[in-house]
Amino acid sequence: MEIKVIGADKLEKKLKDLASMEKVKNAVRLNGSELQQGAMQYAPVKTGNLKQSIRLQIRDSGMEAAVHPTADYAEYVEFGTRFMEAQPYLLPAFEVQLPIFRADLKRALED
Protein backbone atom coordinates (compact mmCIF):
# COMPACT_ATOMS: atom_id res chain seq x y z
CA MET A 1 0.00 0.00 0.00
CA GLU A 2 1.26 3.43 -0.89
CA ILE A 3 -0.02 6.83 0.18
CA LYS A 4 0.95 9.78 -1.90
CA VAL A 5 0.15 13.33 -0.83
CA ILE A 6 -0.10 15.69 -3.76
CA GLY A 7 0.39 19.38 -3.05
CA ALA A 8 2.01 18.99 0.38
CA ASP A 9 4.61 21.60 -0.49
CA LYS A 10 1.86 24.04 -1.52
CA LEU A 11 0.02 23.33 1.72
CA GLU A 12 3.20 23.88 3.75
CA LYS A 13 3.82 27.22 2.00
CA LYS A 14 0.21 28.28 2.58
CA LEU A 15 0.43 27.40 6.28
CA LYS A 16 3.66 29.41 6.61
CA ASP A 17 2.01 32.34 4.84
CA LEU A 18 -0.97 32.14 7.20
CA ALA A 19 1.36 32.04 10.22
CA SER A 20 3.18 35.11 8.89
CA MET A 21 -0.12 36.94 8.38
CA GLU A 22 -1.12 36.15 11.95
CA LYS A 23 2.19 37.62 13.16
CA VAL A 24 1.52 40.74 11.07
CA LYS A 25 -1.98 41.05 12.55
CA ASN A 26 -0.52 40.70 16.04
CA ALA A 27 2.01 43.46 15.27
CA VAL A 28 -0.78 45.72 13.96
CA ARG A 29 -2.91 45.07 17.05
CA LEU A 30 -0.04 45.60 19.50
CA ASN A 31 1.22 48.77 17.85
CA GLY A 32 -2.30 50.15 17.50
CA SER A 33 -2.79 49.67 21.23
CA GLU A 34 0.56 51.29 22.01
CA LEU A 35 -0.31 54.22 19.72
CA GLN A 36 -3.59 54.66 21.56
CA GLN A 37 -1.80 54.65 24.91
CA GLY A 38 0.80 57.11 23.63
CA ALA A 39 -1.87 59.49 22.32
CA MET A 40 -3.65 59.29 25.67
CA GLN A 41 -0.38 60.05 27.44
CA TYR A 42 0.31 63.12 25.26
CA ALA A 43 -3.28 64.42 25.31
CA PRO A 44 -3.63 67.60 27.36
CA VAL A 45 -5.96 67.16 30.30
CA LYS A 46 -8.44 69.77 31.37
CA THR A 47 -11.49 67.65 32.04
CA GLY A 48 -10.12 64.30 30.82
CA ASN A 49 -12.79 64.03 28.13
CA LEU A 50 -10.34 64.22 25.21
CA LYS A 51 -8.01 61.65 26.73
CA GLN A 52 -10.86 59.23 27.43
CA SER A 53 -12.29 59.69 23.93
CA ILE A 54 -9.23 58.25 22.16
CA ARG A 55 -10.34 54.95 20.64
CA LEU A 56 -8.67 52.05 18.86
CA GLN A 57 -10.43 50.25 16.02
CA ILE A 58 -9.03 47.13 14.39
CA ARG A 59 -10.23 46.95 10.78
CA ASP A 60 -9.70 45.02 7.56
CA SER A 61 -9.60 41.62 9.26
CA GLY A 62 -6.86 42.76 11.61
CA MET A 63 -4.61 44.36 9.00
CA GLU A 64 -5.41 47.96 9.98
CA ALA A 65 -5.48 49.78 13.29
CA ALA A 66 -7.15 53.18 13.53
CA VAL A 67 -6.61 55.41 16.55
CA HIS A 68 -8.88 58.42 16.76
CA PRO A 69 -10.53 60.66 19.33
CA THR A 70 -14.29 60.98 19.39
CA ALA A 71 -14.39 64.32 21.21
CA ASP A 72 -15.85 66.89 18.79
CA TYR A 73 -13.09 69.42 19.56
CA ALA A 74 -10.17 67.00 19.16
CA GLU A 75 -8.93 68.52 15.87
CA TYR A 76 -8.78 71.98 17.39
CA VAL A 77 -6.55 70.73 20.19
CA GLU A 78 -4.26 68.82 17.80
CA PHE A 79 -3.90 71.60 15.19
CA GLY A 80 -4.91 74.73 17.07
CA THR A 81 -7.09 77.60 15.90
CA ARG A 82 -6.45 81.26 15.30
CA PHE A 83 -7.31 81.77 18.97
CA MET A 84 -5.53 78.78 20.46
CA GLU A 85 -2.10 77.21 20.05
CA ALA A 86 -1.91 73.64 18.85
CA GLN A 87 -1.33 70.99 21.52
CA PRO A 88 -0.41 67.96 19.41
CA TYR A 89 -0.98 64.56 20.95
CA LEU A 90 -1.66 62.21 18.02
CA LEU A 91 1.29 63.20 15.84
CA PRO A 92 3.90 62.91 18.61
CA ALA A 93 2.53 59.49 19.58
CA PHE A 94 2.60 58.41 15.93
CA GLU A 95 6.19 59.60 15.48
CA VAL A 96 7.28 57.56 18.49
CA GLN A 97 5.36 54.45 17.43
CA LEU A 98 6.23 54.38 13.72
CA PRO A 99 9.82 53.07 14.00
CA ILE A 100 8.69 50.50 16.57
CA PHE A 101 5.93 49.32 14.24
CA ARG A 102 8.32 49.07 11.29
CA ALA A 103 10.74 46.96 13.33
CA ASP A 104 7.93 44.72 14.61
CA LEU A 105 6.56 44.29 11.10
CA LYS A 106 9.97 43.46 9.69
CA ARG A 107 10.51 40.89 12.43
CA ALA A 108 7.07 39.36 11.79
CA LEU A 109 7.80 38.97 8.09
CA GLU A 110 11.28 37.53 8.60
CA ASP A 111 10.23 34.70 10.92
Side-chain angles (χ1 to χ4, degrees), residues 24-100:
V24 168
K25 289 178 182 181
N26 287 338
V28 168
R29 191 176 313 112
L30 173 67
N31 281 273
S33 178
E34 289 176 355
L35 177 59
Q36 177 190 26
Q37 294 302 314
M40 292 174 78
Q41 179 182 346
Y42 286 115
V45 178
K46 190 171 186 179
T47 65
N49 184 54
L50 175 62
K51 182 177 182 174
Q52 294 304 315
S53 80
I54 299 172
R55 302 281 183 252
L56 167 65
Q57 282 186 317
I58 303 297
R59 304 177 184 162
D60 193 21
S61 301
M63 296 299 289
E64 178 183 336
V67 174
H68 57 90
T70 58
D72 58 353
Y73 56 88
E75 293 175 15
Y76 304 124
V77 176
E78 179 78 17
F79 300 110
T81 68
R82 64 182 180 182
F83 303 110
M84 179 181 87
E85 288 241 0
Q87 299 176 67
Y89 56 97
L90 282 172
L91 185 58
F94 177 76
E95 289 172 340
V96 168
Q97 198 62 44
L98 183 59
I100 298 167

